[in-house]
C-alpha cells in the first residue's frame, strides 16, 4: 500500500483557522456576559442588588488573584497613573451597579440594547478626550444610534420605566471606562489594570455591606451569587484570548450577537418577550454601530499599491 502524501496547507489556512477560533472565543465570551446579567437578574429577586454587586466583585477578585498577584507578578500593583486607575475602577463600578439595579426591573434585551450605544458614545467623546475626531458620516451614525435608544426607552410616552435611566447611566459610565482604558494602555500593563478593577468594587461595597445585607434564601442563590464572578472573570479571559487570535476589526461586529443570547435567556428564564419598539430601536442602534465599524475600517484601510 502506497504511503499517503499529505500536501502542505495553504499559507492562508493557519491565519483563517486562528481567526475562526478567535470568533468562537468571542461568542463564548459574550455568552458568559449574557449569563452574568441573567444570573444577576435572577438573584436580585431575593437579595439586594448591592449584595449581588459585592458577590460579583469578590468572586472575580478571588479568581483573578489566583493567577495575578504580587507573588506571580512582582510589582503588579505599581502604576504610573494612579488617578486614572482609580477613575477607571470607579467608572466600572458605577456601570456595574447601575446595570444590576436596572436588571431588577427591565428585560435583559432592553438593558443590552441600550448598552449597545457604548461604541457610539466612545466615538463621540474620543475626539475631545483622545484627539480621535470623527467625520460627519460617523457623527450622523452616532445621532441615528441615539435615536434608536430613544425608540427603546420612549421617554414621555408613559411607558418608559425609570430604571431605563439607570441603564443609560450604566452605558455612559461604561463608555468613559473604555476611553480611560485606552489612556492606560500605553502606560500600565494589562495585569495591573485588571487587579485595580477587581479591588475597587470590594473596597467600596464591603464597608456598607452590613447595612445592606440580605441573606440568600437558598443554597441555589448562594451558588448563583458565586457564579456571577466566574462568568465575569472567565468571560474577560476568553475575550483577551479572542483578541490574541483575531483582529479587533473582525471580532467587533460579533458583539451585537449578544442580543440573541439575551433574547433566549430572557424568554426561557423569565418569560420576557420584547415589544416591537424594542426590536426596532435595537435594530437602529446595532445598524449605527456596524456602520461606525465600517467607517473605521475604511479610514484605516491602506490604498493598494499598483502592480
Amino acid at each position: 500500500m502506497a504511503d499517503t502524501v499529505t500536501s502542505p496547507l495553504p499559507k492562508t489556512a493557519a491565519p483563517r483557522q486562528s481567526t475562526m477560533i478567535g470568533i468562537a472565543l468571542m461568542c463564548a465570551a459574550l455568552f458568559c456576559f449574557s449569563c452574568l446579567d441573567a444570573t444577576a437578574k435572577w438573584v436580585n429577586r431575593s437579595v439586594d442588588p448591592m449584595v449581588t454587586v459585592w458577590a460579583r466583585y469578590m468572586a472575580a477578585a478571588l479568581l483573578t488573584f489566583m493567577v495575578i498577584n504580587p507573588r506571580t507578578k512582582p510589582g503588579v500593583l505599581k502604576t504610573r497613573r494612579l488617578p486614572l486607575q482609580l477613575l477607571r475602577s470607579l467608572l466600572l463600578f458605577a456601570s456595574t451597579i447601575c446595570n444590576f439595579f436596572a436588571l431588577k426591573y427591565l428585560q435583559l434585551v432592553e438593558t443590552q440594547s441600550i448598552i449597545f450605544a457604548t461604541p457610539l458614545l466612545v466615538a463621540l467623546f474620543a475626539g475631545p478626550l483622545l484627539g480621535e475626531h470623527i467625520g460627519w458620516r460617523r457623527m450622523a451614525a452616532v445621532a441615528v444610534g441615539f435615536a434608536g435608544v430613544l425608540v427603546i426607552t420612549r421617554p414621555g410616552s408613559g411607558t418608559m420605566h425609570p430604571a431605563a435611566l439607570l441603564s443609560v447611566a450604566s452605558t455612559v459610565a461604561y463608555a468613559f471606562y473604555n476611553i480611560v482604558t485606552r489612556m492606560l494602555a500605553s502606560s500600565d500593563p494589562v495585569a495591573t489594570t485588571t487587579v485595580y478593577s477587581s479591588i475597587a468594587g470590594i473596597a467600596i461595597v464591603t464597608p456598607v455591606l452590613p447595612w445592606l445585607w440580605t441573606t440568600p434564601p437558598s443554597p441555589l442563590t448562594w451558588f448563583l451569587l458565586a457564579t456571577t464572578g466566574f462568568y465575569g472573570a472567565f468571560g474577560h479571559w476568553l475575550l483577551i484570548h479572542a483578541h490574541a487570535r483575531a483582529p479587533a476589526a473582525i471580532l467587533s461586529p460579533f458583539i451585537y450577537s449578544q442580543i440573541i443570547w439575551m433574547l433566549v435567556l430572557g424568554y426561557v428564564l423569565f418569560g420576557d418577550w420584547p415589544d416591537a419598539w424594542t426590536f426596532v430601536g435595537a435594530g437602529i442602534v446595532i445598524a449605527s454601530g456596524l456602520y461606525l465599524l465600517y467607517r473605521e475600517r475604511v479610514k484605516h484601510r491602506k490604498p493598494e499599491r499598483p502592480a
Side-chain angles (χ1 to χ4, degrees):
M1 187 174 183
D3 293 336
T4 302
V5 179
T6 304
S7 60
L9 291 173
K11 292 183 179 180
T12 57
R16 188 182 298 116
Q17 182 180 14
S18 178
T19 299
M20 295 304 296
I21 293 175
I23 292 173
L25 291 172
M26 182 72 171
C27 293
L30 295 173
F31 177 71
C32 285
F33 297 146
S34 300
C35 289
L36 168 60
D37 280 3
T39 304
K41 182 175 179 63
W42 182 278
V43 298
N44 281 349
R45 300 187 300 183
S46 55
V47 300
D48 191 285
M50 288 293 286
V51 176
T52 309
V53 172
W54 177 84
R56 181 254 184 273
Y57 270 98
M58 180 60 73
L62 291 175
L63 291 172
T64 299
F65 282 115
M66 289 174 62
V67 181
I68 306 173
N69 56 67
R71 184 176 179 180
T72 59
K73 291 186 178 294
V76 70
L77 293 176
K78 292 182 180 179
T79 173
R80 298 177 184 176
R81 309 180 76 177
L82 181 60
L84 271 185
Q85 285 287 3
L86 296 177
L87 175 61
R88 177 184 180 275
S89 300
L90 288 174
L91 287 170
L92 179 59
F93 173 77
S95 177
T96 302
I97 192 171
C98 288
N99 183 46
F100 278 17
F101 271 94
L103 285 168
K104 187 177 178 68
Y105 305 101
L106 301 180
Q107 296 182 7
L108 292 173
V109 172
E110 289 178 314
T111 58
Q112 190 58 48
S113 299
I114 297 173
I115 291 173
F116 277 158
T118 298
L120 309 177
L121 290 172
V122 172
L124 184 63
F125 294 116
L129 296 177
L130 299 176
E132 301 175 1
H133 298 281
I134 61 177
W136 68 268
R137 292 183 180 88
R138 288 189 286 175
M139 184 65 73
V142 170
V144 172
F146 288 145
V149 174
L150 293 177
V151 171
I152 298 169
T153 56
R154 298 188 295 282
S157 64
T159 60
M160 187 185 99
H161 195 288
L165 297 177
L166 290 173
S167 193
V168 172
S170 174
T171 303
V172 173
Y174 194 63
F176 281 105
Y177 159 83
N178 278 274
I179 291 175
V180 175
T181 300
R182 289 164 67 174
M183 292 179 177
L184 287 167
S186 60
S187 60
D188 288 355
V190 175
T192 299
T193 304
T194 302
V195 169
Y196 273 94
S197 299
S198 302
I199 295 174
I202 300 173
I204 296 173
V205 180
T206 301
V208 299
L209 193 63
W211 288 272
L212 302 171
W213 179 256
T214 306
T215 303
S218 66
L220 176 61
T221 307
W222 280 104
F223 172 76
L224 292 176
L225 283 171
T227 60
T228 56
F230 167 79
Y231 287 132
F234 189 56
H236 282 287
W237 182 82
L238 291 171
L239 198 63
I240 292 170
H241 282 273
H243 282 277
R245 294 272 188 171
I250 294 178
L251 295 177
S252 295
F254 287 90
I255 293 174
Y256 297 105
S257 67
Q258 190 175 358
I259 199 74
I260 300 175
W261 297 121
M262 290 297 206
L263 188 65
V264 172
L265 291 172
Y267 182 74
V268 172
L269 297 178
F270 309 104
D272 293 335
W273 189 257
D275 58 20
W277 288 111
T278 301
F279 280 114
V280 171
I284 294 173
V285 174
I286 291 173
S288 302
L290 290 175
Y291 181 76
L292 280 176
L293 292 172
Y294 165 74
R295 291 303 307 175
E296 190 69 18
R297 295 183 67 177
V298 170
K299 178 183 176 182
H300 291 91
R301 184 180 299 163
K302 295 181 180 180
E304 294 183 3
R305 297 177 61 184

